[in-house]
Every structure is written in structure tokens, then in C-alpha cells.
Amino acid sequence: MQVFTDLDQVPDGFGPSVVTIGNFDGVHRGHQAVLGRLVDLARADDRLAVALTFDPHPAQVHRPETAPELLTGLRDRLDLLARAGLDAALVVPYTLDLAAQTPEEFVTRYLVDGLGARSVVVGHDVRFGKGNAGTLATMVELGGTHGFEVVAVDDVGECAPGSAGARERWSSSAARALLAEGDVAQAAEVLGRPHRVRGTVVHGDARGRELGFPTANLGHAEGMVPADGVYAGRLLRPRLAQEDPGNPDADLPAAISVGTNPTFDGVERRVEAYVLDRDDLDLYGETVVLELVERLRPTLRFDGIEPLIEQMHADVARARDILR
């Protein structure tokens, strides 16, 4: 998939294309339905399938104090868009100047002149342009003026009954609510895959190694960190997978801890992963991805080292069973 981070990078004469617009945070199953329709239309007419997305998220510009935590960082968002079969993605830097464009200015500059759109695929609730004045009806009207068709895709899917996102369509907010509860299994139902957190492995306190469970500690994490607790999951090594396809050490089962280590009076919230039954890995400085499959338990404070180690053995055994 080609990635353009500025409109000036798009080659002259690009297209004809089928374009969709959105933040695509999480690239959840609702997004995937839109993207699947986009790719099908593009393939049927021998056109390019393109997503126009924004960075940073508009909420981070307009209301940074209340902006939601993003499910995915930009790298993972683009990776997921590529997996959906897109030919290209245009990442538009979101600024107040961009937000001030009228719906027609936005459509003309980006969709028509920039990407050569012949079809535009959007949800029925699409909003765009200054003050979010542009609606589906506006897009249809502009399509008639500029020669592109508009394909509206219905909302699809519901979350599992009884979950934090129950009775909501598949959405980024539903996934966030589930992750805030630590319910990564139900979040995976919304996302269509296990939730991911990405980060570079940094040096920690080496306490895990002293206890017999050496962990990879993530520095700044990209992607929403779920509720504190212990999780069964996987540690993925993208660079190794690219350099040595098929290497089994590129995809490793892990027990993942999120929290402050209250047994040791910790105050800093950390994300760390113990690769099951491995103490020979040197991951310092490497960017890894943690996939969270199932929550094992909440974070607990133990009365001493021995009960903690006993519980860690139990956590590893259960994670092994789940991941097997």
C-alpha cells in the first residue's frame, strides 16, 4: 500500500480511484465493512482503493482536554488499512486551517483534484467540512457536480449482550469502553482481532528476572492500554518477521502485565510481557507489538514475594492453556 503523508506527495494524474474518508481508529469491524465494500468496487471497475484519514485525530485538535484515548497509533492504523486490501492511504495533517475549509473546498481539493475520485464510499452519518456542515446529502450533491458517485454503507454489527458496548454498533467508542474494563476478549469481537499495543522495549527494574520471569518492558505505548491486570497474549516482533519470514521467534506466547506493581509500592503504570518459558531473548531497543487475548485477573497486592511468585506461576500456566 502506498502511503502519502501530504497531498503534494500524490502523483499528478493519480486515479481513477474509489475513496473513503475517516479517522479509522482501531479499524474495527464496522470500518472493515466499509473498506471491504470500497475494495470490491475498486476491483470491479479497475480503480484504486484509497482511504483518506487524519493525523492527529480531530478531537485532539479541537478539544485536547477531553479527546478520547486512541485505540491504535498511526503505524498500526496504516498496517490494518493495508491488510484490508487498499492500494493507497492519504494521511492528511489535521489542522484548524483544514477544519475551516468548506465542504466543497475539501471535496474539490482532496477527493476530486488530489485523488481523482470516481466513487466515494461513506457511512450514512458522514460529516465533513467547516463546522461538520457537510452531510451525506451534501456529498451526493457534490458528487453530481464533480462527477463521482456516492455509495452509502449501512452501520453493521452489535456488541455482545451484557458487555460495556452492548446495544451499540461496532464502533471505536464501544471498543474503548470494553478495554477500559479490561475485557479484551469482547473488544476483539468489536475489532475483529486481538487489541494491540506497540512500543520499544526499555530497561526496567529487572525485578521480573530476579523472580524467575524476565519481562520486556515497553516504553511509550502506542495504542490504548487496557485496564490494569494480567493478560494472556502474544509478543510480536515486526522487524524479525520482515527480515526472516517464518522465524518462530517473531510470534511468541506471553503473559502480559499492566499496572503499577503494588506489591513493591510502585507508582508508575507499566506494560510488560513475559514470553512463556523463555529467558534467552534480548529485546532491548526493539519495537514489539503486544496482542492481548484474554484477561486473567485484576492487579493484586500480595503480602510478600512468595505468594506473588506462586500466583505468577498460576498466571503463566493459565496463559499457556489459553494460548495453546
Side-chain angles (χ1 to χ4, degrees):
M1 182 181 77
Q2 290 182 284
V3 177
F4 308 116
T5 56
D6 190 278
L7 194 60
D8 292 340
Q9 297 175 1
V10 181
D12 292 339
F14 182 87
S17 66
V18 182
V19 182
T20 189
I21 308 164
N23 296 308
F24 302 110
D25 185 29
V27 194
H28 55 67
R29 293 171 75 177
H31 294 143
Q32 291 165 31
V34 174
L35 296 169
R37 185 72 183 277
L38 174 86
V39 171
D40 288 345
L41 289 170
R43 299 294 174 263
D45 295 328
D46 195 25
R47 294 173 177 172
L48 298 173
V50 184
L52 186 155
T53 190
F54 305 98
D55 186 59
H57 191 288
Q60 294 175 323
V61 174
H62 292 291
R63 45 185 180 86
E65 66 286 348
T66 60
E69 187 174 1
L70 297 185
L71 295 168
T72 48
L74 180 59
R75 284 183 291 182
D76 282 301
R77 192 185 348 158
L78 292 172
D79 179 59
L80 291 164
L81 290 174
R83 293 185 184 199
L86 270 63
D87 298 300
L90 171 61
V91 183
V92 177
Y94 193 88
T95 64
L96 293 176
D97 287 341
L98 175 71
Q101 293 183 359
T102 67
E104 182 161 16
E105 288 172 337
F106 173 79
V107 165
T108 301
R109 182 180 182 190
Y110 288 95
L111 304 188
V112 178
D113 295 340
L115 296 174
R118 297 294 180 269
S119 298
V120 176
V121 180
V122 292
H124 285 273
D125 59 352
V126 63
R127 303 302 292 264
F128 62 100
K130 184 177 180 178
N132 278 334
T135 63
L136 177 60
T138 310
M139 188 69 78
V140 171
E141 180 181 351
L142 291 171
T145 301
H146 295 284
F148 60 83
E149 67 170 339
V150 177
V151 178
V153 179
D154 292 326
D155 294 342
V156 290
E158 292 184 352
C159 301
S163 70
R167 296 180 301 279
E168 292 188 37
R169 62 189 174 92
W170 288 324
S171 66
S172 301
S173 60
R176 285 190 198 98
L178 290 162
L179 292 172
E181 288 187 343
D183 194 347
V184 295
Q186 287 296 337
E189 292 295 315
V190 178
L191 296 171
R193 66 179 193 288
H195 177 60
R196 290 183 163 193
V197 177
R198 178 188 294 261
T200 301
V201 178
V202 299
H203 289 276
D205 299 324
R207 189 174 289 123
R209 183 170 296 278
E210 294 171 1
L211 299 176
F213 299 91
T215 59
N217 294 266
L218 266 60
H220 173 71
E222 296 180 26
M224 180 176 174
V225 177
D228 289 2
V230 178
Y231 298 83
R234 308 196 71 81
L235 184 147
L236 310 180
R237 304 171 67 188
R239 186 178 65 189
L240 180 60
Q242 182 177 19
E243 294 175 352
D244 187 10
N247 189 318
D249 279 356
D251 182 343
L252 299 163
I256 300 165
S257 173
V258 177
T260 59
N261 293 320
T263 301
F264 299 98
D265 298 321
V267 294
E268 181 183 356
R269 194 165 185 244
R270 296 181 177 181
V271 180
E272 51 190 315
Y274 165 64
V275 175
L276 303 188
D277 309 313
R278 296 289 295 271
D279 60 5
D280 60 328
L281 297 170
D282 183 2
L283 302 175
Y284 292 120
E286 185 173 338
T287 297
V288 301
V289 174
L290 302 183
E291 285 191 343
L292 297 115
V293 175
E294 185 173 324
R295 194 185 195 202
L296 304 178
R297 61 173 175 85
T299 297
L300 302 172
R301 183 185 183 94
F302 294 90
D303 295 326
I305 301 298
E306 292 305 318
L308 170 60
I309 293 176
E310 183 178 351
Q311 182 61 58
M312 292 171 75
H313 279 289
D315 294 337
V316 168
R318 189 174 168 205
R320 189 183 294 113
D321 289 341
I322 290 169
L323 299 170
R324 183 177 293 134

XYZ file of all heavy atoms in Angstrom, residues 89-125:
280
model
N -3.165 5.089 0.931
C -3.770 5.863 2.012
C -3.158 7.252 1.996
O -1.940 7.401 1.855
C -3.542 5.199 3.367
N -3.995 8.260 2.122
C -3.531 9.636 2.250
C -3.768 10.072 3.690
O -4.916 10.120 4.157
C -4.287 10.559 1.295
C -4.054 12.065 1.489
C -2.590 12.428 1.281
C -4.946 12.875 0.530
N -2.681 10.339 4.409
C -2.773 10.813 5.790
C -2.728 12.337 5.756
O -1.685 12.929 5.474
C -1.628 10.253 6.650
C -1.786 10.714 8.098
C -1.592 8.730 6.574
N -3.845 12.964 6.026
C -3.935 14.416 5.956
C -3.635 15.005 7.329
O -4.294 14.648 8.318
C -5.352 14.848 5.512
C -5.474 16.368 5.516
C -5.655 14.299 4.122
N -2.624 15.875 7.429
C -2.368 16.535 8.713
C -3.587 17.371 9.118
O -4.006 18.263 8.370
C -1.151 17.421 8.428
C -0.515 16.826 7.205
C -1.647 16.272 6.399
N -4.169 17.061 10.278
C -5.383 17.768 10.688
C -5.006 19.029 11.445
O -4.338 18.983 12.475
C -6.271 16.885 11.551
C -7.652 17.481 11.716
C -8.653 17.205 10.798
C -7.931 18.359 12.756
C -9.908 17.781 10.914
C -9.180 18.944 12.879
C -10.168 18.647 11.955
O -11.411 19.236 12.069
N -5.431 20.158 10.911
C -5.141 21.466 11.495
C -6.419 22.290 11.522
O -7.433 21.946 10.894
C -4.087 22.219 10.664
O -4.643 22.475 9.352
C -2.803 21.401 10.514
N -6.363 23.412 12.215
C -7.519 24.314 12.241
C -7.779 24.907 10.857
O -8.933 25.186 10.504
C -7.292 25.420 13.275
C -7.270 24.946 14.742
C -6.950 26.116 15.670
C -8.595 24.293 15.128
N -6.723 25.095 10.069
C -6.915 25.585 8.698
C -7.686 24.570 7.867
O -8.568 24.942 7.081
C -5.559 25.872 8.038
C -4.899 27.128 8.585
O -5.609 27.953 9.190
O -3.676 27.269 8.419
N -7.352 23.285 8.030
C -8.096 22.252 7.312
C -9.554 22.260 7.761
O -10.474 22.172 6.938
C -7.478 20.880 7.567
C -8.228 19.690 6.958
C -8.063 19.688 5.435
C -7.741 18.377 7.544
N -9.772 22.383 9.064
C -11.129 22.359 9.598
C -11.957 23.537 9.115
O -13.197 23.476 9.111
C -11.080 22.344 11.119
N -11.288 24.618 8.689
C -12.003 25.818 8.240
C -12.457 25.725 6.786
O -13.208 26.589 6.320
C -11.123 27.048 8.431
N -12.042 24.705 6.053
C -12.453 24.568 4.663
C -13.937 24.222 4.581
O -14.449 23.434 5.386
C -11.635 23.481 3.968
C -10.174 23.817 3.798
C -9.419 22.732 3.043
O -9.984 21.725 2.656
N -8.135 22.941 2.845
N -14.602 24.794 3.593
C -15.999 24.439 3.371
C -16.072 23.009 2.841
O -15.074 22.468 2.335
C -16.648 25.382 2.355
O -16.045 25.158 1.058
C -16.480 26.845 2.751
N -17.247 22.369 2.942
C -17.377 21.025 2.383
C -16.948 20.952 0.920
O -16.258 20.003 0.519
C -18.861 20.725 2.561
C -19.249 21.489 3.783
C -18.461 22.766 3.688
N -17.318 21.944 0.108
C -16.950 21.906 -1.304
C -15.454 22.090 -1.489
O -14.843 21.423 -2.334
C -17.702 22.961 -2.110
C -17.358 22.900 -3.593
C -18.367 23.582 -4.485
O -19.177 24.370 -3.965
O -18.348 23.309 -5.700
N -14.828 22.961 -0.718
C -13.375 23.136 -0.820
C -12.649 21.845 -0.481
O -11.709 21.448 -1.176
C -12.916 24.256 0.123
C -13.299 25.660 -0.336
C -13.000 26.709 0.705
O -12.920 26.375 1.910
O -12.849 27.888 0.330
N -13.089 21.175 0.571
C -12.455 19.927 0.975
C -12.611 18.864 -0.103
O -11.632 18.204 -0.495
C -13.063 19.441 2.290
C -12.585 18.083 2.714
C -11.344 17.931 3.317
C -13.361 16.960 2.486
C -10.892 16.670 3.699
C -12.922 15.697 2.867
C -11.679 15.554 3.465
N -13.816 18.690 -0.597
C -14.070 17.658 -1.606
C -13.302 17.950 -2.889
O -12.686 17.051 -3.477
C -15.585 17.554 -1.882
C -15.852 16.770 -3.168
C -16.287 16.886 -0.700
N -13.298 19.201 -3.311
C -12.620 19.555 -4.558
C -11.115 19.338 -4.451
O -10.488 18.726 -5.333
C -12.907 21.019 -4.924
O -14.311 21.204 -5.064
C -12.210 21.382 -6.239
N -10.529 19.805 -3.359
C -9.076 19.738 -3.224
C -8.587 18.303 -3.049
O -7.638 17.874 -3.711
C -8.609 20.595 -2.049
C -7.089 20.589 -1.903
C -6.629 21.439 -0.748
N -5.162 21.447 -0.668
C -4.471 21.934 0.344
N -5.098 22.484 1.376
N -3.151 21.896 0.345
N -9.213 17.570 -2.154
C -8.680 16.265 -1.781
C -9.257 15.122 -2.621
O -8.504 14.277 -3.127
C -8.919 16.001 -0.292
C -8.036 16.850 0.583
C -8.501 18.065 1.090
C -6.734 16.472 0.878
C -7.683 18.870 1.879
C -5.910 17.270 1.664
C -6.387 18.469 2.152
O -5.577 19.253 2.927
N -10.558 15.075 -2.756
C -11.162 13.930 -3.437
C -11.091 14.037 -4.952
O -10.732 13.072 -5.633
C -12.623 13.769 -2.995
C -12.874 13.624 -1.492
C -14.340 13.290 -1.240
C -11.972 12.570 -0.886
N -11.410 15.192 -5.473
C -11.504 15.346 -6.927
C -10.137 15.634 -7.542
O -9.614 14.843 -8.350
C -12.511 16.460 -7.290
C -12.575 16.639 -8.808
C -13.881 16.140 -6.712
N -9.527 16.767 -7.171
C -8.249 17.145 -7.771
C -7.091 16.284 -7.262
O -6.191 15.916 -8.032
C -7.949 18.623 -7.478
C -8.944 19.567 -8.137
O -9.620 19.134 -9.096
O -9.060 20.727 -7.676
N -7.100 15.942 -5.978
C -5.974 15.216 -5.404
C -5.975 13.734 -5.708
O -4.951 13.180 -6.127
N -7.118 13.071 -5.507
C -7.159 11.618 -5.594
C -7.919 11.080 -6.799
O -7.997 9.872 -7.001
C -7.779 11.046 -4.300
C -6.962 11.302 -3.024
C -7.734 10.829 -1.797
C -5.602 10.611 -3.095
N -8.473 11.960 -7.610
C -9.156 11.502 -8.819
C -10.322 10.571 -8.518
O -10.508 9.545 -9.193
N -11.127 10.919 -7.526
C -12.217 10.035 -7.101
C -13.305 9.929 -8.160
O -13.759 10.939 -8.698
C -12.812 10.545 -5.797
N -13.703 8.689 -8.422
C -14.866 8.424 -9.274
C -16.025 7.854 -8.456
O -17.166 7.901 -8.868
C -14.496 7.454 -10.394
C -13.451 7.992 -11.354
C -13.963 9.172 -12.165
N -12.945 9.664 -13.082
C -12.068 10.611 -12.787
N -12.104 11.190 -11.593
N -11.163 11.001 -13.665
N -15.673 7.318 -7.274
C -16.682 6.864 -6.322
C -16.187 7.226 -4.927
O -14.974 7.194 -4.657
C -16.908 5.346 -6.408
O -17.382 4.967 -7.676
N -17.126 7.560 -4.038
C -16.805 7.858 -2.647
C -17.701 6.995 -1.767
O -18.926 7.020 -1.907
C -17.005 9.358 -2.323
C -16.746 9.622 -0.842
C -16.092 10.218 -3.187
N -17.077 6.208 -0.902
C -17.802 5.296 -0.025
C -17.786 5.863 1.385
O -16.715 6.097 1.952
C -17.158 3.891 -0.038
C -17.915 2.937 0.881
C -17.112 3.343 -1.461
N -18.975 6.090 1.953
C -19.075 6.687 3.289
C -20.221 6.039 4.061
O -21.093 5.380 3.487
C -19.332 8.214 3.200
C -18.119 8.942 2.646
C -20.567 8.508 2.349
N -20.224 6.250 5.379
C -21.355 5.841 6.196
C -22.471 6.866 6.100
O -22.252 8.007 5.665
N -23.660 6.459 6.515
C -24.801 7.374 6.453
C -24.611 8.579 7.371
O -25.239 9.628 7.154
C -26.083 6.633 6.829
C -26.586 5.727 5.752
N -27.414 6.154 4.742
C -26.356 4.411 5.514
C -27.687 5.146 3.920
N -27.055 4.073 4.373
N -23.754 8.469 8.395
C -23.564 9.560 9.347
C -22.337 10.408 9.032
O -21.839 11.130 9.891
C -23.455 8.999 10.767
C -22.300 8.010 10.922
O -21.681 7.647 9.899
O -22.026 7.587 12.062
